[in-house]
Amino acid sequence: MSHQPTTRRFVFMMLDGVGAGELPDSRDYGDQGSDTLGNLSRVIDLHLPNFQRLGLGNILPILGVPPVASPSALAGRLAPLSAGKDTTVGHWEHMGLITEQPFPTYPEGFPEEVLAPFRAAIGRDVLANRPASGTAIIAELGEEHMRTGRPIVYTSADSVFQIASHIDVVPLDQLYEWCEHARRILTGPHAVARVIARPFTGPPGAFVRTKDRRDFSLAPPSPTYLDLLHDAGVPVLALGKISEVFLGHGVTDKIKVTSNDDNLSLVTDLLRGTSDRGTFDEGLLFTNLVDFDMVWGHRNDSDGFAVGLETVDRALPDILAALRPDDRLILSADHGVDPTTPSTDHSREYVPLLLYPRPSATPEAVYEGLFSDTGATIHEYLTAATAETAAALPGRSVFQLSPGRGWRRYTPVQPSPAGDGSLIPGRVGPEEAQEAADWLQTQLGSAPRWAVMLGSGLAEAFMPDASGDSVQDVSYADIPHWPSSTVPGHTSTLSIVDIAGRAVAVLRGRAHGYEGFDLSQTQLAVRTLGLWGVEGLVVSSAAGAVGSGLTPGDLALVHEIIDLQHMTPGGPPLRLRVGEPPDKAGEESAGHEALLRRAVHAAVPGPQYETRAELQVLQALGADCVSMSLAAEALAAQEEGLRLAAVAVISNAGPPSHEEVLAGAASSAERFRQAAEAIFALWESECS
C-alpha cells in the first residue's frame, strides 16, 4: 500500500469578476444596480446544481439556484475595505493587504509626462492613448499599427496601461521589454496597478488576441499572507496570473494556464497527483479563472459568462472528490464585472464565499465578512497559527465562526404568487422592509394615514397647491433597500404632501419586474408603508384600454386583477380580487368629472406594449384595461392589511408609444387627484 500524505492542502479558486451584488458605495463608482450573479440569472436560465448544493443560492437571490436547507459549504458574502475595484486591489486584499488610495486611472488618456519617456524608451510614437475595449481598439487601429509599427496604447476604467501589438510586427520578447520600460516609468503618482502586454495575430479584419498576455504588476508595498506562508515554510503554487499579480512575492512555484478549461483540468489533476505539469502535495494552490473577466465580462457576453459558470459547476464534483479529508477549498472572487449592464468594466460588488467542507459548528446563517478573511483562514489552517500570530494583517479566520463578522439569515424566500406551495427567491424580506420603515420614521416622523402610488405620467399629481402647503421629499435612493425606477415618468421620490389639512405620502414612481427587479423588490415600498403605519393606499397605473369599454381620459376603479406576471408557466392566469370598490368615490368628486368606472385590469410582464392580437386575447379573458403593474402592489397591500383602491388611468387605446402613455396619463393627473382624495374622504367617513 502506498503512503498517503497527511500534510494539509488548501485550494483557493478565484472566480475572477463573479460579483455577488452591489456594495453600499457602488454609486460612487458608477456601478449602482450591478449584481453579476443576480442580474445574470434574470436574463439567462442558469443550471448550477453543484453550486446550489454548496450554498451559492443562500448568499444572494439567483434565479434557478434557490437556497438549500443544509449547504455542504459555509456560504457567505465578503466586502472590501480597499478603495477601487481592480484585479490587483481585490487579490491583494484577499491576502491581507488593504489599498487605502485607489490606483490612478486615465479617462482622458495618459499625460505627456508618461508618454514622452515611453516613446523615448521604445524609439517610436504610439497609437490611440485613450480608454477602449481591447478587441475594438485592435479592430480599429490594428492595420495602421502593422503599417507604422507603432504600438497601440490604451487603458480602461481600471488602473491599467495596456500595449497591443501584432506578433508579426513586434516579437513577444520586444513587447514584454516595452512593458518593462512602461512599468519603470509608471511610478509615484502614475503608479498604475498593471501594465499589460496584449499581443494579437491574424490578418486585418480578423485580428484575434493570443494567449500570451502578460501582466506587469506593482509589487505589493507590504507583506501579505502569501509572504507569511512562505516564511512559515508552506509552499504556494500559483496558477495563471496569480504570480504576476503579486509579482512573485510569497510564491514558491507557478504554472501557466491558457483558459478556464485548462485551469479546471489542471486543478483536478494536481489534486489527484496525476498531472505532468507539477505536483501539489502540501500548502496552498492559488488560482484564478480569468475568462469570466477577460473573455466574457468585459465584452458583456452574458451567454458566455453563463456557460462558463456551468462549466465550473460540472467540474466541481471531480474537484471535490479529489480532495483529501484534511484538504480545504475556498471559492470566491475579486470584484464584479456584470455583463448585463451597459458598462464593460469592473463593478464594485460584494463577492461570494464558499468554504468546503462546511465546518460542523457553522450557524444556520450566511457569513458576512471581509475579503481579508480568506487569507487569514488559509494562513491559520496551513500554519496552525493563532490570530495573534498574524495580528499585523487584517482578517479573521472563518474557522473561528466568530459572531464579530456578522451572520444573517439565508436569502429571503417568499411563497410563489402562483399559490402552488413553491418558494421563489427575493432580494429583500421583512428585515429590509422594517429597516426602511424605521428610516422613514426617523427622517419624516410618524406615517401619514393615507398614501398614493403614482404611475407613469402622474408625477405632477398631488403637488403642493398655491396656498403654501408644505411638502417633504426623499429620494428612493436614500431609503434603505428601496429600488429606484429607470423608466421615464417615474421620478422615484417619496413626498409628504399636506393639502387642505390632510397629510398624504405620495410615491412618485415604482419598480417594475421588467427592469430586472424581483417580486420582493416591487412589493418593498408597499410593505414598508404598512410597517411605517400607513392605513390605506391608492395605487395607480397608466393603462391602455382593451376593447371599446373604456376610452382615453377615463378613470377606472379596478375590482379584479388578472395577474399574467406571476402565473405558473403553462398554468391559468391568476385572478386577484381587489375588493368591493367604494361606489361613492366618483360621486363625491367635484362636478362628477372624476367618475370612476369599475374595471377588470390585466397586469402583463412587459416591457413591450401589447399588439392588437394580444389585446384581443386580453379582451377574451375579460380584461377592460391593461398595464405592467398593480398586481404585485395590490397583493402586498392586502397581505399588509392596508385599505386598498387600485385606479387605472386610461391613457391610450391600441398599441401606443411610451410618450403617448405619459402624455395621456398626465392629462388626467388632476382628475385622478380628485378621485384619490374622494377615496380618502370615504375611508375617513367609514372609520369615524
Side-chain angles (χ1 to χ4, degrees), residues 13 211 238-241 254-271 275-278 285 287-292 295-296 308 311-312 315 319:
M13 296 181 65
K211 298 292 186 180
L239 306 189
K241 71 184 202 180
K254 62 182 180 179
I255 303 177
K256 181 180 177 63
V257 294
T258 58
S259 66
N260 278 12
D261 289 342
D262 181 28
N263 201 317
L264 293 167
S265 177
L266 179 57
V267 168
T268 305
D269 288 344
L270 287 168
L271 287 171
S275 173
D276 58 1
R277 300 168 64 182
L285 172 59
T287 189
N288 175 293
L289 300 182
V290 71
D291 290 355
F292 289 112
V295 178
W296 305 307
T311 299
V312 177
I319 292 174

Side-chain angles (χ1 to χ4, degrees), residues 1-9 270-274 280-282 321-327:
M1 179 179 295
S2 61
H3 172 68
Q4 295 295 320
T6 57
T7 305
R8 288 179 167 183
R9 301 187 300 179
L270 287 168
L271 287 171
R272 290 172 172 167
T274 59
F280 177 52
D281 291 327
E282 61 178 318
L323 295 174
R324 302 170 187 159
D326 286 338
D327 290 347

Side-chain angles (χ1 to χ4, degrees), residues 25 100 138 140 146 270 282 323 376 383 409 417 514 516 639 678:
D25 63 355
E100 296 182 355
I138 290 170
E140 176 189 349
M146 295 184 72
L270 287 168
E282 61 178 318
L323 295 174
T383 65
R409 72 202 188 295
Y514 64 76
E639 292 176 347

Side-chain angles (χ1 to χ4, degrees), residues 76-346:
R77 184 178 72 168
L78 304 177
L81 295 177
S82 294
K85 52 181 180 177
D86 188 85
T87 292
T88 302
V89 166
H91 281 71
W92 282 5
E93 185 167 352
H94 271 290
M95 291 296 112
L97 177 55
I98 294 173
T99 305
E100 296 182 355
Q101 296 296 324
F103 294 121
T105 56
Y106 297 87
E108 306 299 326
F110 297 97
E112 188 62 19
E113 61 189 285
V114 168
L115 289 183
F118 180 69
R119 286 194 295 261
I122 67 174
R124 65 191 75 187
D125 204 352
V126 302
L127 300 174
N129 186 31
R130 64 177 186 268
S133 159
T135 52
I137 200 72
I138 290 170
E140 176 189 349
L141 297 176
E143 190 169 0
E144 182 178 356
H145 156 71
M146 295 184 72
R147 185 176 67 254
T148 64
R150 298 176 180 177
I152 303 169
V153 172
Y154 66 104
T155 187
S156 71
D158 300 319
S159 181
V160 291
F161 184 100
Q162 303 187 86
I163 309 173
S165 62
H166 197 288
I167 59 175
D168 292 341
V169 176
V170 179
L172 282 176
D173 288 345
Q174 185 176 11
L175 174 59
Y176 296 155
E177 182 181 340
W178 288 354
C179 289
E180 289 171 349
H181 286 311
R183 182 69 280 172
R184 287 191 289 270
I185 293 167
L186 291 161
T187 58
H190 298 299
V192 299
R194 289 173 295 157
V195 174
I196 305 176
R198 294 286 197 177
F200 63 96
T201 188
F207 294 129
V208 293
R209 295 197 290 198
T210 75
K211 298 292 186 180
D212 298 303
R213 161 186 168 158
R214 183 177 295 180
D215 290 23
F216 296 77
S217 298
L218 282 176
S222 59
T224 70
Y225 280 111
L226 296 184
D227 296 301
L228 296 188
L229 290 173
H230 181 269
D231 293 344
V234 177
V236 175
L237 174 59
L239 306 189
K241 71 184 202 180
I242 295 298
S243 183
E244 294 174 355
V245 170
F246 290 91
L247 210 63
H249 290 208
V251 174
T252 308
D253 198 5
K254 62 182 180 179
I255 303 177
K256 181 180 177 63
V257 294
T258 58
S259 66
N260 278 12
D261 289 342
D262 181 28
N263 201 317
L264 293 167
S265 177
L266 179 57
V267 168
T268 305
D269 288 344
L270 287 168
L271 287 171
R272 290 172 172 167
T274 59
S275 173
D276 58 1
R277 300 168 64 182
T279 59
F280 177 52
D281 291 327
E282 61 178 318
L284 172 64
L285 172 59
F286 193 178
T287 189
N288 175 293
L289 300 182
V290 71
D291 290 355
F292 289 112
D293 181 81
M294 183 177 70
V295 178
W296 305 307
H298 285 306
R299 301 177 188 176
N300 280 354
D301 183 357
S302 296
D303 291 322
F305 206 106
V307 170
L309 284 171
E310 292 173 355
T311 299
V312 177
D313 188 84
R314 287 192 299 271
L316 282 174
D318 286 341
I319 292 174
L320 299 183
L323 295 174
R324 302 170 187 159
D326 286 338
D327 290 347
R328 296 295 181 265
L329 167 71
I330 279 181
L331 293 157
S332 190
D334 51 346
H335 50 70
V337 60
D338 191 336
T340 71
T341 65
S343 170
T344 59
D345 295 311
H346 295 163

